[in-house]
Amino acid sequence: MPPVAIEKMMYVNVVGFAEHLDATIAKCVDSGAFHIEDASKTVEEDINKQKIVQKLDSKNPYKDILKNLLTIHFGEGFNLHQTTVSEEVQNMTVDEMDWYINFVAEQLLDINNNRFECRQIIEDKGLVLELLEHLNKMPIKLEKLFGMKNIHIRFGKLPLDSVPKLEFYDSELFEFVGYDRDTSYQWGVYFVPNEYSARVDKIFNSLYFERIYIPPEVHLKPDEEIKKLEKQINEAYEHFEFLTRARTDFNESVFEKINHIYCRLKTLYDNYNLRTKAVFIKNNFYLVGFVPMSDIGNLSKALEDIPSVEIIVRAPQKDDVFRPPVKLRNNKFSAPFAMFVEMYGLPTYGGFNPTNFVAITYTLLFGIMFGDLGQGLVIALLGALLHKITKNEFGAILLRIGLSSAVFGFLFGSVFGFEEALDPIYERIGISFLPIRVMHYTTEILGTAIGIGVIIILITIIFNIVQKLKRRNLEEAIFGNNGIIGFIFFASLLAGLVAPIIFNVNLWSYPYVFGLIILPVVLMFFREPLGCVFKGKKFEMHTGIGDFIATNFFEVFEFLLGYATNTLSFVRIGGFVFSHAGMMTVVMLLAEMANNASPLVVILGNIFVMGMEGLIVGIQVLRLEFYEVFSRFYEADGSNFTPVKVKYDATIE
Amino acid sequence: MRQSVNFVPKKFIQNATVAKIHTYFGKRLTEEDYKTLTAMKNIGEVADYLKKNTHYSPIFTDVEPASVHRGTVETLLRKYHFEKGIEWCNFQHVDKEPFYRFHYVLREINEILNSLMNLNAGVPDEYIRSLPSYLIKKSSFDLLQLPKIKDFNQLLGVLQDTPYYNLLSDVPFINGKINFNICENRLRSYYTSRILEIVTHDFKGSAQSKLFQIIKSQIDLINVINIYRMKTYFHMAEDEIRELLLPASGRISKAIENELINAPDTEAFMKTLSKTIYGTGLDEATDASSIYFERNLTQLRVDNARHALFASNSAAVSFYSALFLFEIELKNLITILECIRYKKTSAYIESLLITI
């Protein structure tokens, strides 16, 4: 019987002549349904011992040409991306593609080099300009300063860390004059006699002084030179812009073809890398992997075109080297919630897909905890827009939980915090018990919250029992705290507590207590030996009797505590119902105080509550799912189904 | 505002420091960052990348990547690392507590040793180049006097009013040079003993036990690395090695320590090491004769520190672990800068890096 809501996988062997490997891999990649495994792991011993089996380990012939393409700098707005390769490019040989790439690379290199030179000019002159701006008010011509025969001057900037170290060189013949400071540097100039300049230059070099060379053509007064430099910088900038436009024009003429070549080369490159997953026995290749049962037909049909290739399909076995990967199959309502399940971990193949359960419980609990008709509809609308525009699954989740909030908001009579806005509707419908005024029914709401929690816990225990029985794990299925005995204990305890209150019936008789409360606890205590008895095995105590008693005592204590804490954890559902109502009450009070600004306060208050409380409630419900729900039955050690495909990114190994 | 802090329980104050440190740790450099950095061709590109893409961007605000010195970049990175430690301490005013001043002592020790190295090399004034100016005001002695010393006595004179004076005053000379190994061992042993004393005195309960655990495991691994180095590169005698080990130990018993010291070859060394908890943390393929053996051991130190950072909600443990981890990140960046200067391949550079 195939596992419910988990795609059934088939274990696939593909065999053929070595020369047909590349074509086979290409078909497997195109199918989008082949999860490849390393075939050498199935024949590891043979590879080491007999050496009739070989793994392919050669350099990818497309690596260098692809690398060449990826290092081309196109500039902004031209990003290589996935696209359908044109027939023209499909028919190009590798040499032809290489030639075209080199042609484009050379042209762009030329333009980019010229742009780089312009930028260098702008930066170098910019530095000089920055320096001269600090000396703006100096009335001396620079040629006079640099024309000094016996003194050399050096402009530049000294890292702040080096400034205190100047004190160490007090005995040296130089004078450093700082004229400006920023967060990292002291800008300044030092004067040194000619005969000491080499020595002092070395000192400043060791202090990481960054010298700014004033070009020889800069010789007037600083304010005059500033005007000249500004003009030169503007001219360089205009040339830079011209080159940028030229590059854009060139890119527009070649980019489409280059992009097609990229896609083709990336396909060839990635497909070639997959060859390392194959093994070779004499002249035959051997590939293994998993394919969803629903896609087997398509793959077989695609591989029919390749002579010599045979595909052998069977169901996965327990003793296979590889575990089948997991692909979840969900309905339209629950599909977006797969995101939460995957966050926790994928179920084991053959296990239980909890997505449906998460979808229902998450939607329900969020709706109850965030019940407001208006806010719910706003969230639903935002979610719908988000999903439509960005295709983000989170948007689809917002749509569902928003509508659920709206439903419960209708029941609670709350519309954007206005508790009486729906009263006329209820009167017209004629339902006397609506709306449910949450603040008037605190005990009932808290009781209902616990009731919901109890139902959820009991359902999860049933899930666990079913799964464990399927796996023939009788110890856990029957005697575990999430097994049949645990179910009986928990249900009986709750029935005993609730019956007197609701039905005025006292269930606490001796047979009831002994048979349904004490006996299950004792059976849980002895679950290990009892499990062995059921399996027909002999129970072996690996530790002493004292350790056995102590360990099981504390484990059972933990189970009992777990029942209590997990149940009470659901009280937060009621808590958040009250907190939502309470927060909107505060918003309304502030609106009353604001008089004329009250519409604005109501709007801002609603936005704030939707944002903050929505986030908190979302996280709290997720916490309930992960901790109270999943911990009881969910085993998440499945691996993801990842069919081989070409990765259209800019990285190559 | 200051007054209200006094009414807040210490536990909550420290929780804020832990949260701050954890948040900062989240900004550490990733493997992608390292991959990009190691492929760069010059210092300017590295500075530009750090400026635009990492948590180091504030220190490069006024730096011109195209013209910056390698030394300036290194200095800025070291200063940032140092100031980060101070920032964490100042955040919730724990800077006055003795434990949170350990990183000053460590840096002072490093500077004394740098100065000693230059002195032994005959160029004591060269120390001025590496002297970190950001430490001048925080140091317990006049750092600026160190480049001016001409001999060991003058060094002792600078350290006159510090605990370092007594530690170094009777260190013997070898061939006219001060015995650097003994100086280093005494200073680092002092640091180790001092920090363990502070932990014993100022901490209790799980914070104390976690601090002991992390500090002593670091000491263990430092000793293992040093035993390895002294045997492999310097072929030192067993007694000499024993003298130069740090005094405290964590999970390596004296018997195991002796076995490591007496190991006749790398195979025996690895066999003994595999008996310890640290040996089980090493990759199965680790080979003591490999050039990456020390790197693998350092990786173990990093793994221990990272585990301590996440497993504890003590501010002291978080502070100690995070400082160490970011010290490694700093070393990674300096390695990258130096390797780029010497035109090493990115594959080679990556093999030297340690991920935190």
Side-chain angles (χ1 to χ4, degrees):
Chain A
M1 177 100 178
V4 174
I6 293 179
E7 194 77 53
K8 182 164 183 187
M9 291 288 159
M10 301 304 282
Y11 185 77
V12 169
N13 293 344
V14 183
V15 188
F17 289 159
E19 61 261 34
H20 295 143
L21 176 60
D22 287 337
T24 307
I25 287 175
K27 292 283 184 194
C28 290
V29 170
D30 286 343
S31 73
F34 192 84
H35 174 105
I36 200 166
E37 298 285 3
D38 187 349
S40 65
K41 290 206 165 94
T42 60
V43 288
E44 222 158 22
E45 283 186 25
D46 293 332
I47 288 180
N48 290 333
K49 290 180 187 166
Q50 297 178 32
K51 298 187 182 176
I52 59 167
V53 181
Q54 290 171 328
K55 259 184 77 84
L56 186 73
D57 191 15
S58 61
K59 191 186 165 190
N60 193 317
Y62 307 105
K63 185 173 181 177
D64 289 338
I65 173 173
L66 187 60
K67 208 169 168 184
N68 199 14
L69 192 158
L70 289 171
T71 53
I72 297 176
H73 183 62
F74 293 98
E76 302 225 347
F78 293 94
N79 299 311
L80 296 169
H81 57 274
Q82 182 182 355
T83 189
T84 311
V85 178
S86 66
E87 208 178 314
E88 184 202 349
V89 170
Q90 283 286 12
N91 294 330
M92 284 173 84
T93 63
V94 175
D95 286 338
E96 283 168 347
M97 288 194 283
D98 193 24
W99 180 90
Y100 194 78
I101 292 168
N102 284 329
F103 159 71
V104 169
E106 274 167 25
Q107 297 295 314
L108 281 173
L109 188 65
D110 206 30
I111 297 174
N112 284 332
N113 282 344
N114 287 333
R115 281 177 86 247
F116 180 76
E117 278 172 26
C118 280
R119 202 162 48 215
Q120 272 307 115
I121 292 171
I122 293 167
E123 275 173 20
D124 292 344
K125 290 198 188 286
L127 271 174
V128 178
L129 179 66
E130 198 178 348
L131 187 146
L132 290 178
E133 276 166 353
H134 293 295
L135 301 169
N136 199 5
K137 294 191 170 49
M138 190 176 75
I140 307 168
K141 282 189 180 175
L142 288 162
E143 65 184 355
K144 264 197 164 173
L145 273 180
F146 288 115
M148 286 190 285
K149 290 204 176 75
N150 299 310
I151 304 279
H152 281 174
I153 71 168
R154 308 275 188 251
F155 284 95
K157 52 186 185 177
L158 191 63
L160 290 177
D161 188 72
S162 298
V163 172
K165 298 183 189 180
L166 287 173
E167 183 192 308
F168 178 74
Y169 296 103
D170 272 347
S171 58
E172 299 289 338
L173 268 172
F174 68 85
E175 189 65 35
F176 179 78
V177 179
Y179 50 73
D180 203 1
R181 188 180 265 230
D182 58 34
T183 55
S184 305
Y185 292 94
Q186 171 70 60
W187 293 74
V189 53
Y190 67 87
F191 301 86
V192 53
N194 289 352
E195 54 267 41
Y196 296 104
S197 65
R199 181 183 166 84
V200 170
D201 284 346
K202 211 171 156 189
I203 289 169
F204 273 85
N205 209 31
S206 72
L207 295 175
Y208 308 124
F209 180 75
E210 288 173 36
R211 189 171 162 189
I212 297 169
Y213 290 89
I214 311 288
E217 60 268 22
V218 173
H219 53 92
L220 301 173
K221 288 186 204 165
D223 58 347
E224 291 161 357
E225 285 296 341
I226 285 169
K227 288 194 186 102
K228 257 175 64 181
L229 280 168
E230 281 171 350
K231 186 165 175 255
Q232 285 167 357
I233 289 171
N234 282 336
E235 282 169 5
Y237 192 69
E238 278 169 19
H239 188 56
F240 181 83
E241 290 291 303
F242 166 76
L243 289 167
T244 306
R245 283 193 299 272
R247 184 173 73 177
T248 306
D249 291 340
F250 178 75
N251 281 342
E252 280 168 3
S253 68
V254 302
F255 190 76
E256 196 185 338
K257 190 169 175 183
I258 272 289
N259 195 43
H260 287 208
I261 290 175
Y262 160 70
C263 291
R264 179 146 177 247
L265 277 175
K266 197 67 173 56
T267 305
L268 290 168
Y269 173 80
D270 281 1
N271 287 356
Y272 193 91
N273 278 344
L274 287 173
R275 286 163 66 95
T276 56
K277 299 285 186 189
V279 288
F280 292 85
I281 304 171
K282 295 187 183 174
N283 202 31
N284 295 320
F285 75 80
Y286 181 69
L287 281 174
V288 303
F290 291 93
V291 177
M293 189 160 84
S294 51
D295 291 313
I296 287 289
N298 290 340
L299 181 66
S300 302
K301 213 170 171 187
L303 291 175
E304 268 172 13
D305 297 339
I306 308 173
S308 89
V309 169
E310 272 185 43
I311 170 169
I312 303 140
V313 179
R314 64 164 172 80
Q317 309 289 335
K318 263 189 190 157
D319 52 1
D320 278 340
V321 172
F322 307 110
R323 283 194 313 167
V326 171
K327 184 180 175 187
L328 297 179
R329 200 176 59 213
N330 297 309
N331 58 47
K332 224 173 164 180
F333 173 75
S334 55
F337 293 90
M339 185 174 96
F340 290 149
V341 174
E342 283 163 18
M343 215 185 274
Y344 190 87
L346 286 169
T348 318
Y349 182 78
F352 177 71
N353 178 3
T355 312
N356 274 340
F357 186 70
V358 168
I360 294 166
T361 51
Y362 195 98
T363 307
L364 180 74
L365 295 178
F366 188 97
I368 296 172
M369 289 156 83
F370 196 81
D372 186 292
L373 177 61
Q375 291 174 357
L377 288 174
V378 167
I379 289 176
L381 184 65
L382 286 172
L385 283 171
L386 181 67
H387 184 59
K388 193 171 164 65
I389 296 168
T390 66
K391 304 281 179 258
N392 193 320
E393 290 298 345
F394 185 65
I397 291 175
L398 285 179
L399 172 61
R400 286 146 177 78
I401 61 180
L403 289 173
S404 174
S405 303
V407 165
F408 282 97
F410 179 78
L411 293 175
F412 295 151
S414 177
V415 185
F416 292 118
F418 294 100
E419 304 286 332
E420 275 135 31
L422 294 176
D423 285 355
I425 299 176
Y426 299 129
E427 280 168 23
R428 191 167 285 187
I429 296 172
I431 302 173
S432 58
F433 62 87
L434 286 184
I436 304 168
R437 301 262 183 238
V438 298
M439 290 307 198
H440 296 175
Y441 296 104
T442 49
T443 314
E444 288 81 350
I445 297 236
L446 289 174
T448 308
I450 294 177
I452 291 172
V454 163
I455 293 169
I456 288 176
I457 291 172
L458 288 171
I459 292 172
T460 57
I461 294 177
I462 293 171
F463 286 158
N464 187 60
I465 293 169
V466 169
Q467 283 198 82
K468 293 292 188 289
L469 283 172
K470 268 177 152 180
R471 297 239 179 92
R472 310 242 188 280
N473 185 347
L474 296 176
E475 180 190 319
E476 286 297 323
I478 301 172
F479 301 106
N481 63 316
N482 293 314
I484 294 171
I485 297 296
F487 185 93
I488 292 170
F489 169 81
F490 186 56
S492 307
L493 183 67
L494 284 168
L497 290 170
V498 164
I501 301 167
I502 297 179
F503 305 110
N504 208 18
V505 170
N506 184 6
L507 295 174
W508 298 104
S509 61
Y510 281 114
Y512 187 89
V513 170
F514 182 77
L516 297 177
I517 305 292
I518 296 175
L519 184 60
V521 172
V522 170
L523 291 174
M524 277 194 270
F525 185 92
F526 290 104
R527 65 192 178 289
E528 280 178 44
L530 287 169
C532 287
V533 164
F534 261 73
K535 278 186 244 180
K537 286 187 196 169
K538 190 183 167 195
F539 171 66
E540 282 177 29
M541 202 180 299
H542 299 288
T543 57
I545 184 83
D547 277 339
F548 175 82
I549 292 172
T551 308
N552 282 289
F553 172 80
F554 283 109
E555 280 191 8
V556 169
F557 182 75
E558 202 183 43
F559 296 156
L560 300 179
L561 204 60
Y563 288 128
T565 54
N566 289 163
T567 308
L568 288 173
S569 199
F570 283 91
V571 168
R572 72 187 72 219
I573 298 173
F576 276 96
V577 171
F578 302 137
S579 97
H580 189 90
M583 285 181 80
M584 290 319 300
T585 306
V586 169
V587 169
M588 292 304 155
L589 274 171
L590 289 172
E592 269 175 42
M593 284 160 60
N595 292 328
N596 291 337
S598 67
L600 184 65
V601 172
V602 170
I603 292 169
L604 290 175
N606 269 280
I607 292 171
F608 177 76
V609 168
M610 273 194 286
M612 196 190 81
E613 229 218 326
L615 183 66
I616 293 171
V617 167
I619 291 168
Q620 286 298 320
V621 178
L622 198 59
R623 180 225 174 277
L624 284 171
E625 297 285 353
F626 282 177
Y627 195 69
E628 264 72 45
V629 172
F630 281 5
S631 62
R632 292 211 167 262
F633 72 95
Y634 187 47
E635 288 168 9
D637 56 359
S639 54
N640 201 12
F641 172 73
T642 43
V644 286
K645 58 180 181 177
V646 179
K647 286 183 204 139
Y648 292 99
D649 54 26
T651 54
I652 53 174
E653 287 161 32
Chain B
M1 193 54 135
R2 176 100 200 210
Q3 199 172 8
S4 72
V5 167
N6 290 335
F7 293 103
V8 179
K10 191 174 177 180
K11 179 179 181 287
F12 295 130
I13 290 173
Q14 300 220 345
N15 282 348
T17 304
V18 171
K20 187 170 175 69
I21 293 172
H22 279 208
T23 308
Y24 185 70
F25 186 70
K27 298 181 194 172
R28 66 196 181 282
L29 297 183
T30 62
E31 277 190 34
E32 278 303 316
D33 288 320
Y34 285 127
K35 212 169 176 148
T36 310
L37 286 165
T38 54
M40 291 187 164
K41 298 282 177 274
N42 56 54
I43 306 299
E45 284 182 16
V46 172
D48 194 45
Y49 183 85
L50 292 175
K51 184 175 182 175
K52 288 180 180 157
N53 299 291
T54 70
H55 63 94
Y56 294 100
S57 63
I59 58 172
F60 290 100
T61 313
D62 291 310
V63 169
E64 192 51 56
S67 58
V68 69
H69 264 284
R70 181 182 64 87
T72 305
V73 175
E74 273 187 39
T75 306
L76 287 172
L77 291 171
R78 288 184 201 281
K79 185 180 173 192
Y80 181 64
H81 177 69
F82 175 65
E83 287 175 348
K84 223 4 115 176
I86 297 176
E87 185 190 314
W88 293 339
C89 294
N90 289 346
F91 180 61
Q92 295 288 318
H93 310 289
V94 293
D95 49 321
K96 298 290 181 287
E97 295 181 26
F99 178 82
Y100 294 94
R101 302 189 63 77
F102 78 83
H103 64 126
Y104 291 114
V105 173
L106 199 53
R107 285 172 202 281
E108 284 180 347
I109 289 173
N110 285 341
E111 296 314 315
I112 295 170
L113 291 172
N114 278 344
S115 176
L116 265 173
M117 265 199 287
N118 281 289
L119 183 63
N120 272 356
V123 286
D125 52 347
E126 288 286 307
Y127 169 66
I128 188 71
R129 289 180 185 233
S130 61
L131 187 155
S133 301
Y134 52 82
L135 203 54
I136 291 172
K137 285 186 181 157
K138 304 282 184 190
S139 178
S140 61
F141 55 90
D142 189 353
L143 255 186
L144 275 172
Q145 295 303 314
L146 284 183
K148 298 179 184 171
I149 62 168
K150 296 280 180 266
D151 57 43
F152 189 65
N153 284 331
Q154 288 186 3
L155 173 70
L156 288 177
V158 173
L159 303 175
Q160 181 78 31
D161 299 318
T162 70
Y164 312 121
Y165 177 84
N166 288 334
L167 294 169
L168 301 179
S169 54
D170 62 346
V171 172
F173 280 71
I174 301 177
N175 301 328
K177 295 185 184 183
I178 196 70
N179 189 324
F180 182 84
N181 287 337
I182 291 183
C183 289
E184 187 177 12
N185 179 256
R186 284 193 188 178
L187 288 169
R188 297 213 189 279
S189 297
Y190 161 75
Y191 162 76
T192 310
S193 313
R194 185 82 190 98
I195 200 174
L196 288 171
E197 225 176 86
I198 292 170
V199 170
T200 308
H201 195 258
D202 292 356
F203 292 88
K204 279 186 271 220
S206 72
Q208 188 191 63
S209 66
K210 286 201 161 70
L211 275 172
F212 275 138
Q213 200 178 359
I214 176 71
I215 294 171
K216 286 185 177 180
S217 68
Q218 294 290 339
I219 292 170
D220 279 343
L221 287 166
I222 290 170
N223 279 341
V224 169
I225 293 172
N226 284 340
I227 293 171
Y228 173 78
R229 270 192 203 148
M230 287 189 268
K231 285 178 76 68
T232 313
Y233 303 125
F234 301 102
H235 306 292
M236 288 168 78
E238 283 88 18
D239 288 336
E240 283 180 303
I241 294 175
R242 250 181 225 104
E243 262 186 34
L244 295 175
L245 296 180
L246 293 173
S249 66
R251 299 162 93 169
I252 291 189
S253 63
K254 278 291 167 212
I256 295 283
E257 191 179 272
N258 284 331
E259 257 189 69
L260 285 170
I261 292 170
N262 295 329
D265 52 35
T266 55
E267 207 182 307
F269 186 88
M270 278 308 294
K271 202 171 163 191
T272 307
L273 190 60
S274 66
K275 288 188 227 169
T276 69
I277 186 92
Y278 308 110
T280 55
L282 285 173
D283 196 294
E284 272 178 25
T286 301
D287 174 8
S289 59
S290 152
I291 54 170
Y292 302 114
F293 179 65
E294 270 194 51
R295 182 195 160 283
N296 291 343
L297 283 176
T298 309
Q299 183 69 56
L300 260 188
R301 289 183 67 190
V302 165
D303 294 342
N304 273 351
R306 193 173 46 223
H307 176 76
L309 178 64
F310 286 116
S312 170
N313 56 3
S314 151
V317 173
S318 301
F319 181 73
Y320 182 88
S321 310
L323 265 190
F324 170 71
L325 290 168
F326 280 103
E327 182 72 40
I328 298 292
E329 183 172 278
L330 175 64
K331 281 186 182 157
N332 281 343
L333 286 171
I334 291 172
T335 300
I336 290 170
L337 289 170
E338 285 176 357
C339 287
I340 284 174
R341 185 186 174 202
Y342 292 109
K343 310 252 186 274
K344 295 293 182 191
T345 62
S346 60
Y348 174 77
I349 305 172
E350 275 183 52
S351 69
L352 299 176
L353 303 181
I354 298 173
T355 44
I356 64 168

